[in-house]
Amino acid sequence: MRAILPGKPQARLQAVCTVEWEGLRLVVYISGNGLMILSGPSNLLQTIYHEDCDALIAVTIDELSGKIATASSHEIHVYRPYGKEDGLLKVFSYLMLRIQELIPPEWSLQCAIPRPDQEPEDITLSWGTDEELLVGSDSLRLFQTAAEEAEIWCRGLSRPTRIAKFSYDANFIASTGRYDRLIKLWRRQSYGSDDTRFDFTYLPHPTAVTSIHWRRPHTRIQASDHVLYSICGDHKLRIWAAMDQHGVQGLQLWAEIDMQASVQPRQLNTSLQSKDRFAFIIDNQDFSRTTVAAVKRAAQLEADNVESKQQHGLEHLAEIAKSSPEICVVLDRHGHMSAWGLENVGCKARKPTDVFNIAHVENLDLGFLDYVSSMDDNAQLYPFCWEQPEAPFVLLAHHFDGRVEWLECRLEELFAPSPLQKRILRKTLWTGHDGPVKKIVRSASGNAVISRTNDNEALIWTQGNGGNHLGLTLHSSLSCPEHIHRSWLLKEGNFVINLHDASISLWDARCSPAAQITSVPFDIEGHPICLVQLPEPRLDPKVVHIATITAKKQGLVWEVLLPKNAINRPDAQGSSVSHMKQLCTFQLDIKENIAFMLPVDPAGSAVWTSSSLDTFAKDIAISYSHDGRLRTWTAALATDGSPVEWLVTSIVETGIKNPSLASANSIRKGALVDSSKTGLTIWDMRSGQLEYSIQYGHLDLIQDLDWSSTPDDQALLAVGFPYKVVVLAQMRYDYLNVGPAWVPLREIYIKDSTPHPIGDSTWLGSGNLLVGAGNQLFIYDKLVDSSDDMVSDLTVPVHKQGQMNLFDLVTFLNGPLPLFHPQYLSQCILAGKLSQVQRIIRGLYSALKFFTDGDELDSFVSISSDVLITDAQTLNGGTQDYNSRHDSIDEVKDYRFEDVAASLTTNLNSLSVPHLSSQDQMHLKDMVECVSTVTTQQRSMDDNATRYLLFFRQHMIRKHQATSNHAIFTYREIVWAYHSGSQDILVDLTSRQFGGRMLWENAKECGLFMWMSDLTSLTLQFEMVARNEYTKTDEKNPIDCSLYYLALKKKNVLLGLWRMAAWNREQASTQRLLSNNFQEARWKTAALKNAYALLGKRRFGYAAAFFLLAGNLQDAVNVCLHQMRDLQLAVAIARVYEGDDGSVLRLLLEDKVLPQAALEGDRWLATWAFWMLGKRDLALRALISPIHSLLGTPESPKMKAKSYLANDPALVVLYKQLRGKTLQTLRGALRISPKEEWDFVIRTARLYDRMGCDLLALDLVRNWEFLLQPKETISQPEGPPDPRKMLRRRSSLVVDDLSKPKSPTGMKAGVGRPPPQKVFEEPESNSLLDNFGF
């Protein structure tokens, strides 16, 4: 659903036209140089722009052919509907309403008719029969447009015509000129394109004729019964009829109605009296249809035993309809209405009762404004019958001040003699600009917006009903003689501030049009690029402060005192009670130049009062430099008159050169567009993390970024392109499945409605999106269909299928998780809370035991939050028995967990669990099965082995299920197994998973040779892999296992296998070669030649084997790493060939693995590599510090290293585990500054919160223990203190590994005495909670 503001209608007599064509109600009107075609109050069928003219003058539509004719100052365009030539629309006319929903009609240009150069600008158009088009100006010209356009009749006029209309059978033309008191009645004498002739007579009037209307017949057969209605300046409506069919006159005066006398207000208040009169005719055709619909509706209500509220009005309407009259309705601008019935129109013997009064009522609000210029003080009314049972009668009111209102009512209520407060309903308003929209600016709350064109014409809009109403109400208009650079709305659109080239102006928009209150000139170095409202130091609703900033980093601040009373006259200027003065100047204290600066999107929150200047204050602006550095700013005004203070609240080094566009919101999310305008990145400004990156096609140029937020501060971003808008929403961080942090929820295409590109867009406070294209404004609501392709790919709950509120959908995608969500359970397991996971599973089993579809399910499954947030003493235990706590799970506490898990799995197969999508429910079932499997092995494994086994088991289950996003097995799981003391059990369990026949692809999948620490066991496993590789095929090819046996230095075993490979054509040559002694230089050279030849044939694995045969381990490792792209294979053969202390392995880790980890930001790979090198202090620091800073490499990391995926919250678990494991890690922890550790903990807590695991975040900040810092610095002469004294709980299990020598690389990486540090006192736990927002 959407609402439309199609544009400002022209203030011309033929600016609006409506007909019923092929069962479809069409309304067309002209706005600027655009033609708007609509089929309902909010259904825009098509927009056609005339690029070769400034403005259109007239429009008309043929109700027989559906053709549309428009006229400009120099040309007439005729458009025909698609499908007319093959008759599709006629064949299915009985299903037209349904067909139009599926295939809406469209119009294309048929022909263009030039106008004579000397012809006056005013023109009138009218359609006749057989697609004849009448054009009236200083002559009457008749064109035939059925095939090719041809002029078939022309007659010059003494005075330019203002109105010319065909009768419905095209036998008569009624025309009149400007200020002409005569209607010239043209009668057709002959038909045919070769001989078309008209003669004419006059219908005299006492004053100038202002309006002409032909009566609509029931059918074309009755069209010969001609009746003409005319209105002239004496406020009388005259009815002309053909009482003498054979007379010379053609039409004779049948009756007249004095409109001035017919409307007599009952109040004596002169302010409610007006001499202006307006009239419209309800033809008997429309009146009869509407009456029949009213009777049917009343009968249905009676059948449903519903009492009708307007029974008396319905009886009155039925009584009127008995005489089949035409209805003449007369009204004034204050809502007084008089209705007259016209019976037996055209009868020669007219009776006095043929013109009778139907009703005289009040409270008919047609939207007339009090203050309108004399040029715009006019309105035309178009009544018709509408096929809607609730409101079958529609009145289009074209106000010449630039509005078309769609008014709906029931005739029994409109003509009801009893007093009613509201007789007519305003369904929609069509208005807007008459030029292309250039910029749209919203207020802080989003309840008011200002739209602006290139001509410095602006409209202020407000959203009614507290923001719940879809449409916008025109609040005021503004026309400025100076060029407007920036605009700012104050007080929900009541005041507007405009920034010009050398001045700033304040406008009062409480009246329409807005009145300029004051204008203040200024002189500043540089071009102003930003206009922003500053936070106020004290609450004063009448005072605001506005600042502007230039590209030269100079700025000005103005103090604005808003007036208290409204300026009631639109032409009033100035005010004695308001002023704007320059308060101070300032300069931003940064070195590089600013490429651009703009205010942050309010994202639903207004600028708040701030008495201090710190990083906790809300951002008010964002700037970006040419080298891609993003800064967010806040400011504070001093009460003593000193200059405003500016503070940079965050800096993000994006590395994107020459960005073209940037935007940020007040909750510190920033978006940046690259120089090509096709690449978009979204950043968390608080942590500097990259959350989303996408590259659009070369034709999709990004031109606009607009932020919004849900009531619970979930961010939405609308990315604007020339012809579409893509809405992106936050997703929860997903480190296990490496899911995206942002997803597109909706794509809005406007090409179906308008050919004009999008000018600008913005969010309204209610969540609706306002898009400006051409002179039109489109309002798209916040409802999304879950069946849409974009939404259906997301994890939407099964019970929320159908239309969903955009805010509710975003909250589900990024809000807190229920305890039984698989992601929350996974993070609990990583945090060492397996017993808590078991308790949650028991709670879910208990909750689903008697659950049926449609029941509510507690997201905590009846578990107290006190149980979930453990004390520090039990954080690492993971085995505390919680069953002693009092809750509803006590009834299942004695059940074996394996039985509970099996029963729960059965329930999950048959039930749809609330809060979970079908995919989440499937993953939950896998998680329950994995936890059950791990529980059986829990007593024989440590926590790290449990973590590894559970995620490995989950990975294998999803792999066999072939899900599209199965869990990815990463270096995180390898590190858990590497630091496990139960590796023998893990080897056995992983080997069983592959049926005891582990191939290299299986070993690589589980990372076996990366995490095994016992070289003897590693060699045995490698030999088993070699044996399995040999026997994996029936032919038993020795080539498959050559690399593995040569890495094991078992050439003779390989030679024996070749002896059995008689089927292989390479057997003889290979066997002869392997029989030689490769300690000799000759055969080493031969092996190398074979290796290089194999490289040329792209047999990389076999080439690496020959490098090993030549004793060249380094080249074999390089082939595995570069050609085969297999880091694990390179590490495995290096470890097997020369052990963990070999130079090749060390070189591989130092020169390849660590630089790769630094470029990609992979902290898990970095900490594993440092630990393998024996640099355990750096292994610990790699979990917190930037990896490239530990290597001392100047190379900047890739964009991937800046991603949020580089900061896994599970790193904090490993950090706490390793910190007190050895003396080296304690020494490494001492080199991490207290602030770094503080930021690390807070960042991890925010990551938990971003993942929806709020309880884990609270648990972390509540129970985290900082190391005790020594009171003296570590650079004292007596040597460093004992690192074990830093632990709060003394442990005798700290391994002394400080005696191991450091490698030169370790010294190069900065492993030495750290600089002196200040003494750090551990902060109170309350400050941690406050920092995180608890």
Side-chain angles (χ1 to χ4, degrees), residues 717-847:
L717 176 63
V719 185
F721 300 89
Y723 292 100
K724 69 177 180 179
V725 177
V726 178
V727 178
L728 300 174
Q730 278 183 291
M731 291 277 285
R732 299 184 194 93
Y733 286 169
D734 187 355
Y735 290 90
L736 301 178
N737 300 317
V738 196
W742 290 78
V743 291
L745 288 185
R746 190 176 188 182
E747 280 195 7
I748 297 172
Y749 294 92
I750 66 161
K751 271 196 170 182
D752 296 337
S753 302
T754 175
H756 205 287
I758 296 174
D760 198 10
S761 61
T762 192
W763 291 94
L764 301 178
S766 60
N768 301 328
L769 183 64
L770 178 64
V771 179
N775 59 342
Q776 298 173 328
L777 296 174
F778 301 89
I779 307 167
Y780 295 89
D781 67 3
K782 57 184 177 182
L783 293 179
V784 294
D785 194 347
S786 60
S787 62
D788 185 84
D789 292 340
M790 288 187 172
V791 182
S792 61
D793 293 338
L794 304 176
T795 54
V796 179
V798 177
H799 65 285
K800 290 190 176 182
Q801 298 297 320
Q803 280 198 331
M804 295 182 63
N805 187 304
L806 185 62
F807 285 176
D808 294 339
L809 179 58
V810 175
T811 299
F812 172 79
L813 296 175
N814 194 38
L817 292 170
L819 295 185
F820 48 83
H821 194 281
Q823 174 154 289
Y824 184 86
L825 297 179
S826 300
Q827 292 301 321
C828 283
I829 292 170
L830 289 175
K833 300 176 182 294
L834 182 60
S835 60
Q836 190 177 110
V837 172
Q838 295 170 346
R839 183 172 185 81
I840 293 171
I841 292 175
R842 289 180 183 273
L844 182 60
Y845 166 73
S846 178

Side-chain angles (χ1 to χ4, degrees), residues 867-938:
V867 176
L868 301 171
I869 305 175
T870 61
D871 295 330
Q873 290 82 355
T874 62
L875 184 64
N876 296 327
T879 59
Q880 181 184 358
D881 183 13
Y882 291 106
N883 290 332
S884 61
R885 306 295 180 100
H886 176 71
D887 56 34
S888 61
I889 310 176
D890 291 340
E891 61 185 37
V892 297
K893 65 181 181 180
D894 296 329
Y895 295 178
R896 289 179 65 250
F897 181 79
E898 292 79 0
D899 298 335
V900 171
S903 300
L904 179 58
T905 302
T906 303
N907 290 336
L908 292 176
N909 287 327
S910 58
L911 295 174
S912 295
V913 181
H915 313 297
L916 297 181
S917 67
S918 56
Q919 188 178 20
D920 291 335
Q921 191 165 328
M922 182 179 64
H923 291 170
L924 174 61
K925 185 177 67 174
D926 298 341
M927 176 65 70
V928 172
E929 182 182 345
C930 294
V931 173
S932 177
T933 303
V934 170
T935 302
T936 60
Q937 306 287 339
Q938 183 179 2

Side-chain angles (χ1 to χ4, degrees), residues 166-467:
F166 261 123
S167 63
Y168 281 88
D169 61 354
N171 277 336
F172 285 97
I173 299 173
S175 67
T176 185
R178 185 182 294 272
Y179 310 121
D180 197 343
R181 69 178 189 86
L182 298 174
I183 292 180
K184 189 173 289 186
L185 188 66
W186 304 79
R187 178 186 290 179
R188 188 189 290 262
Q189 298 297 312
S190 63
Y191 287 88
S193 58
D194 297 333
D195 185 22
T196 300
R197 290 179 291 111
F198 288 85
D199 65 0
F200 66 90
T201 57
Y202 291 103
L203 302 181
H205 291 72
T207 57
V209 178
T210 59
S211 179
I212 293 175
H213 173 76
W214 287 100
R215 184 179 68 174
R216 177 190 300 275
H218 276 275
T219 62
R220 291 285 173 177
I221 300 176
Q222 299 177 346
S224 59
D225 192 10
H226 302 103
V227 175
L228 179 68
Y229 302 93
S230 65
I231 302 175
C232 67
D234 63 351
H235 290 165
K236 287 186 179 181
L237 183 142
R238 291 172 173 81
I239 303 101
W240 305 83
M243 293 182 289
D244 185 2
Q245 296 287 348
H246 304 287
V248 178
Q249 189 69 19
L251 297 180
Q252 296 82 32
L253 181 63
W254 184 78
E256 63 181 28
I257 297 175
D258 189 343
M259 296 192 299
Q260 192 70 43
S262 63
V263 177
Q264 295 293 333
R266 297 169 184 171
Q267 294 88 352
L268 297 178
N269 188 355
T270 56
S271 63
L272 297 179
Q273 298 181 10
S274 172
K275 294 183 179 180
D276 296 332
R277 295 293 183 266
F278 305 91
F280 61 89
I281 303 296
I282 305 176
D283 295 305
N284 183 252
Q285 180 190 23
D286 290 335
F287 181 72
S288 300
R289 290 172 59 185
T290 308
T291 304
V292 170
V295 173
K296 288 182 178 180
R297 185 172 57 254
Q300 183 63 41
L301 291 176
E302 184 178 356
D304 297 338
N305 295 323
V306 178
E307 183 180 357
S308 176
K309 297 181 180 179
Q310 289 299 328
Q311 185 64 32
H312 185 54
L314 182 61
E315 294 173 355
H316 180 58
L317 186 66
E319 186 66 26
I320 297 170
K322 288 180 180 179
S323 57
S324 300
E326 317 288 331
I327 308 298
C328 174
V329 180
V330 182
L331 46 90
D332 66 3
R333 64 171 55 253
H334 296 298
H336 305 107
M337 184 196 79
S338 177
W340 298 84
L342 307 176
E343 186 180 357
N344 301 322
V345 178
C347 180
K348 291 184 179 180
R350 185 176 73 84
K351 297 180 292 184
T353 57
D354 287 345
V355 180
F356 58 95
N357 183 262
I358 293 176
H360 190 100
V361 299
E362 300 174 354
N363 301 322
L364 192 69
D365 181 16
L366 296 187
F368 292 101
L369 300 180
D370 294 332
Y371 296 100
V372 182
S373 64
S374 59
M375 296 294 295
D376 298 334
D377 191 14
N378 191 13
Q380 284 191 309
L381 306 174
Y382 303 87
F384 59 86
C385 181
W386 177 242
E387 298 296 336
Q388 294 291 334
E390 294 300 322
F393 183 76
V394 174
L395 183 65
L396 284 182
H398 172 211
H399 299 274
F400 279 36
D401 58 3
R403 296 173 294 138
V404 175
E405 290 187 295
W406 181 293
L407 306 168
E408 293 183 351
C409 68
R410 301 175 182 175
L411 287 186
E412 65 268 27
E413 295 179 354
L414 182 65
F415 297 145
S418 57
L420 294 176
Q421 289 297 321
K422 199 167 187 178
R423 298 178 181 270
I424 199 164
L425 174 67
R426 182 173 287 103
K427 183 70 174 179
T428 191
L429 173 70
W430 295 334
T431 184
H433 296 275
D434 55 6
V437 175
K438 175 185 177 182
K439 186 67 178 176
I440 304 176
V441 180
R442 58 170 268 177
S443 64
S445 65
N447 292 330
V449 295
I450 179 172
S451 54
R452 197 174 70 237
T453 67
N454 288 322
D455 300 328
N456 301 313
E457 303 284 340
L459 297 178
I460 298 97
W461 309 86
T462 58
Q463 195 166 22
N465 298 337

